[in-house]
Amino acid sequence: MPTRPEQKNAFKDAWNSIVSPDTLPTRFRSLHQIEYSTFQQKVLEQDQAFVTSITRSLYEGDVYIIRGAFSKAFIGEMKRKTAEYCKDKPPTFHKMLEGCQDFHRVIDEEVAKNYSFKAIKHSCYFFPWNDDPLKLFSPIWERWSLIKFLSGQRLDEYERNTPKDGIVDRIQIVCYPSGAGVLETHSDPYIHQRLFISGFMSKRGEEFDSGGFYVIGPGNEQIDLEGQVEIGDMAFGYATVLHGVAAVDSHKSVDWGVMQGRWFLGLYSNASDEVKNRHTGYAVKLDEER
Ligand SMILES: [Fe+2]
């Protein structure tokens, strides 16, 4: 790679010149698409015209789809291995404290009350200090590092951190089950991670029929983006641009025993539970916005 982690980051300078707490974007403006190989090349080159245009566009609320970030075969394997992992181990929960193990959790209506915004899902959480049972970190960090760099961070930012360092990388593989899966409209925590990052693991019309990823437009309208993506694509946008997941197959009844529905890969550098008053996201009701 032409860029090493310690090299100058032109994106960081660009962000510093435009970001202010009063002007964070909250509404989606437009959608852009870029092939993975082009994205990789452009981010690492740090050509000034690209740096200026993409940072400004993200700050205006644009969302980018990276086409073919992962192969369909890789995603298929990831789903198969995750389902197996969840079948072998009982669901549980662990705070992000030093030594926290990987785990999976069924987050139904009742459990969802413990979170800052409502999400009904079956989530598997993997941390880099464990033994990486699904062998996810190397291929995922290869992609994630580009988005970190674009965000103004080092390519390997947080990779070696553990909870006592404050911020940790966490890979979340989620199944939003048919008949229950949903994620309410929210703004993500943005202090440690400037951009939300989604990996698409299912195709609407194949593994599920309705619902999926949306963003909120300037007139508070819900704009579906799920119909624009293919398995293996990634998407990113400014963390404060309101987004959510519309109810997945609400016409069906849920069966938590089968991981059937909309799968999703969530990449986040989280404030660990070793941090007092950790910065989290918040739900947004559009008629009583805060
Ligand atoms: Fe989010």
Side-chain angles (χ1 to χ4, degrees):
M1 281 203 224
T3 302
R4 291 191 308 278
E6 68 273 19
Q7 269 188 293
K8 180 171 164 51
N9 185 329
F11 297 100
K12 186 177 181 177
D13 299 336
W15 287 118
N16 286 342
S17 72
I18 56 174
V19 173
S20 130
D22 307 329
T23 56
L24 297 171
T26 60
R27 298 299 187 277
F28 167 76
R29 187 178 68 169
S30 59
L31 186 67
H32 300 257
Q33 302 180 35
I34 186 164
E35 287 296 324
Y36 176 68
S37 55
T38 309
F39 176 70
Q40 181 182 40
Q41 186 196 343
K42 283 187 169 287
V43 168
L44 296 176
E45 270 177 5
Q46 307 184 60
D47 171 72
Q48 196 54 50
F50 175 73
V51 171
T52 304
S53 73
I54 197 165
T55 50
R56 282 192 188 158
S57 125
L58 284 162
Y59 205 61
E60 291 295 330
D62 291 353
V63 171
Y64 285 73
I65 295 176
I66 311 174
R67 293 289 183 203
F70 296 99
S71 72
K72 290 188 169 57
F74 176 81
I75 297 287
E77 263 300 278
M78 202 155 79
K79 275 192 290 206
R80 189 188 62 74
K81 289 193 291 189
T82 304
E84 217 167 76
Y85 176 90
C86 293
K87 216 163 64 185
D88 288 352
K89 291 186 166 31
T92 173
F93 171 70
H94 300 272
K95 285 193 160 205
M96 284 183 283
L97 295 169
E98 199 62 19
C100 165
Q101 54 186 270
D102 299 338
F103 65 96
H104 70 102
R105 189 180 204 192
V106 171
I107 303 172
D108 57 14
E109 290 278 349
E110 203 45 45
V111 175
K113 290 176 185 163
N114 298 314
Y115 290 84
S116 37
F117 39 84
K118 181 179 172 181
I120 306 295
K121 58 185 183 175
H122 190 164
S123 272
C124 304
Y125 301 97
F126 298 97
F127 301 100
W129 53 86
N130 293 322
D131 60 354
D132 194 10
L134 272 51
K135 299 284 167 279
L136 299 172
F137 277 94
S138 170
I140 288 176
W141 266 335
E142 193 178 324
R143 280 85 181 163
W144 192 353
S145 65
L146 298 171
I147 302 178
K148 286 180 181 173
F149 198 72
L150 166 64
S151 305
Q153 297 172 318
R154 294 196 324 265
L155 284 161
D156 64 347
E157 190 97 35
Y158 307 131
E159 286 190 7
R160 283 169 291 278
N161 278 14
T162 63
K164 66 174 169 24
D165 299 310
I167 314 298
V168 293
D169 277 0
R170 183 184 72 184
I171 293 176
Q172 183 181 186
I173 301 179
V174 186
C175 177
Y176 286 98
S178 289
V182 71
L183 171 60
E184 76 174 305
T185 303
H186 65 280
S187 169
D188 276 311
Y190 59 89
I191 291 181
H192 311 300
Q193 177 160 328
R194 190 184 302 283
L195 306 170
F196 66 74
I197 311 172
S198 303
F200 296 93
M201 301 178 65
S202 297
K203 178 81 183 151
R204 190 166 67 199
E206 292 173 12
E207 289 147 281
F208 64 103
D209 301 326
S210 60
F213 182 60
Y214 66 82
V215 287
I216 300 294
N220 284 347
E221 70 279 28
Q222 207 167 295
I223 300 166
D224 175 77
L225 295 186
E226 188 78 32
Q228 308 290 321
V229 298
E230 299 291 331
I231 292 173
D233 291 348
M234 292 175 83
F236 60 87
Y238 214 88
T240 50
V241 171
L242 302 177
H243 59 280
V245 173
V248 174
D249 291 347
S250 52
H251 59 291
K252 293 186 179 168
S253 54
V254 65
D255 178 353
W256 287 101
V258 293
M259 295 184 80
Q260 166 64 45
R262 175 184 180 269
W263 287 73
F264 158 85
L265 171 69
L267 305 179
Y268 238 95
S269 303
N270 296 261
S272 80
D273 290 295
E274 302 277 359
V275 176
K276 301 282 172 245
N277 303 318
R278 65 196 268 265
H279 168 65
T280 58
Y282 62 89
V284 174
K285 304 270 179 269
L286 289 172
D287 48 353
E288 46 175 84
E289 192 177 330
R290 38 170 170 155

